[in-house]
Every structure is written in C-alpha cells, then in structure tokens.
Amino acid sequence: MEQAEFDSKGSRIRWTEVPGEEPARVYVHGLGSMSSVYHAHIAARPELAGRRSLFVDLPGHGISDRPEHFGYTLEEHADALAAALDAAELTGAEVIGHSMGGAIAIVLARRRPELVSRLVLTEANLDPFPPPAAGSSGIASYEEDAFVDGGHARVLEAVGPLWAATMRLADPRALHRSAAGLRRGSDPVMRTILEGLTVDRVYLQGESSGELDGREGLEEAGVRVVTVPGAGHNVMFDNPEAFVAAVAGRL
C-alpha cells in the first residue's frame, strides 16, 4: 500500500500497486466503490500482465482518508488523484475509470494533461444531472445531514449486496458530497472536455444500459465508443473478456 497527501492538512489518498513495465495503468473506481475490488481481477489477466498497475481509492472511499473539511467535487477528486500519480512518479499513464471514476479521469486529463496518455472509460458520467434512477441522484436527493443520519443506511439496503459491500466502507458525508459533485458536473462539462482531448479515448457502454446519448458527437471527436454485449453498468464483471480487450487496446 502506498499513500500521498492530497490537501494542506495531511489527509492521504492511498493505493495498492503491482510492479511492472510502464506506461502504468491506473484504475479508478466509481461512486461508493473500491478500485481493487472492481479491477484487480482484470489487471491479473495474462493479456494485461507485466504492466505496472495502481488501484487508487479516491478520498472518502476504501482505504483513503475521509476528511470532513474536503469538498469532494470532481475537480478536488482529480487533484487528489494527481497527487497520487505525482507521488508515484508517473507521467503518461493509461487511466481506466469506471462511472464517477471515469468523470474524474476526464477532469484529470484536462487539469494535468502530462499525467494521462490514454483513457479507457466505462459508462463514465459525461453530463450533469443524471436521471433520477442513477445512484448519484438517489444519494444527492437527501440533504447532507439527513443522508448521514439515516439516508446512508436506507441507500445501502436499496442498492443490493454487491454495491453495498463497498459503499458501506465509504464515509457517508464524503459519499453524499461526491454524489452531489457528480450531479453538478465539471466546468467545462465532462463531455466537452472528452471531445476536446487528443489522447487515445475508448468509451465502453454496456448493452443492457441502452444507447449512449450523444454517441455520434463523441465518435466524430475521435472517441471509440464500444457497446459491450451481455453487460450492464459493471462491464468488468459482466463481460471481463471485452473489458480486458479494451484495456489492452485490442478491440
């Protein structure tokens, strides 16, 4: 386990790491998740073996610190992730981001372009104010104190055992602020940033999640959009072979 300070008060973002050749692959989880749980089985596949791999837990999640003073906006998460990559002495990393982690990876690529050489995004949030069915919308529908004082427990019951297994490890206040920040989006918005980037960009959409809004515009901007058969939001669990192929650049 490695760590780096990400604010002026000594709070630390942490990650586990597998040594190997560079460019490194940096795996970033979604809201209420953990990177190793969602991605370690992918990095261990023979097609991806031999590369340096970092499984970063965002502030408020997993093994990272959860300071109450932190805002947990997309920009603040991106800066904390940058602090981890700086401490790891990385540049030009391949960043693999799921859901909220994909949105943060997009913001990171804009704020610190030297850190990112490639993006592999799995159902990353591209627009503010997702539909009411989205997890972030459900969490953000509570006032922050109400979520901490009982909403968190109700959400854990509602999301099912898979997501609850990692969400229960996230700090409730950090989880709520992260959800609110995800709903608010970045400035400029994530979709605009993604379309303007020049690095290699792959976007994975699970077939059962439906058609990706704005797909044509993304493809015109050079983003490779792939609909993954037999998969929903968690492509890395539902169709790991396709996910590995995307990370390996073999689609």
Side-chain angles (χ1 to χ4, degrees):
M1 184 173 63
E2 306 291 342
Q3 60 183 4
E5 291 189 12
F6 65 85
D7 63 10
S8 61
K9 299 185 178 182
S11 303
R12 290 172 171 82
I13 183 170
R14 296 185 177 89
W15 66 96
T16 52
E17 183 171 333
V18 176
E21 297 180 356
E22 297 192 9
R25 295 189 177 112
V26 178
Y27 296 87
V28 188
H29 62 83
L31 181 68
S33 300
M34 293 177 63
S35 285
S36 59
V37 173
Y38 277 69
H39 294 117
H41 69 292
I42 295 297
R45 292 284 292 258
E47 303 97 311
L48 302 179
R51 289 281 287 277
R52 186 181 180 189
S53 300
L54 284 70
F55 307 97
V56 183
D57 284 348
L58 296 165
H61 294 72
I63 57 176
S64 290
D65 287 349
R66 45 205 67 203
E68 188 170 343
H69 65 270
F70 198 64
Y72 299 94
T73 65
L74 291 177
E75 290 83 0
E76 287 170 307
H77 274 304
D79 289 346
L81 179 57
L85 302 193
D86 286 339
E89 299 183 342
L90 290 183
T91 57
E94 298 182 5
V95 183
I96 299 96
H98 178 226
S99 198
M100 182 182 77
I104 291 167
I106 292 168
V107 175
L108 173 71
R110 179 177 186 268
R111 293 169 77 85
R112 295 288 306 277
E114 76 280 7
L115 296 178
V116 181
S117 65
R118 183 171 184 251
L119 290 174
V120 180
L121 309 170
T122 304
E123 298 214 355
N125 299 74
L126 300 180
D127 303 300
F129 303 108
S136 57
S137 295
I139 292 171
S141 67
Y142 291 87
E143 295 294 329
E144 183 176 310
D145 288 340
F147 182 75
V148 172
D149 293 338
H152 182 237
R154 288 191 288 273
V155 168
L156 287 179
E157 292 179 359
V159 299
L162 180 65
W163 196 5
T166 56
M167 187 183 288
R168 67 188 178 188
L169 303 178
D171 177 77
R173 199 170 298 278
L175 185 62
H176 184 274
R177 291 181 188 175
S178 295
L182 186 57
R183 287 193 76 240
R184 186 166 53 249
S186 61
D187 183 19
V189 73
M190 296 84 76
R191 182 183 297 272
T192 299
I193 296 173
L194 181 61
E195 290 177 346
L197 295 173
T198 58
V199 297
D200 183 45
R201 294 150 294 161
V202 179
Y203 190 104
L204 303 180
Q205 177 80 353
E207 180 183 37
S208 63
S209 297
E211 185 64 29
L212 175 65
D213 291 339
R215 175 172 185 153
E216 182 176 342
L218 292 173
E219 292 178 331
E220 288 176 354
V223 181
R224 286 180 288 163
V225 180
V226 179
T227 300
V228 181
H233 188 60
N234 297 324
V235 175
M236 68 290 295
F237 293 147
D238 298 337
N239 192 335
E241 289 76 18
F243 192 87
V244 168
V247 175
R250 296 175 181 168
L251 285 175

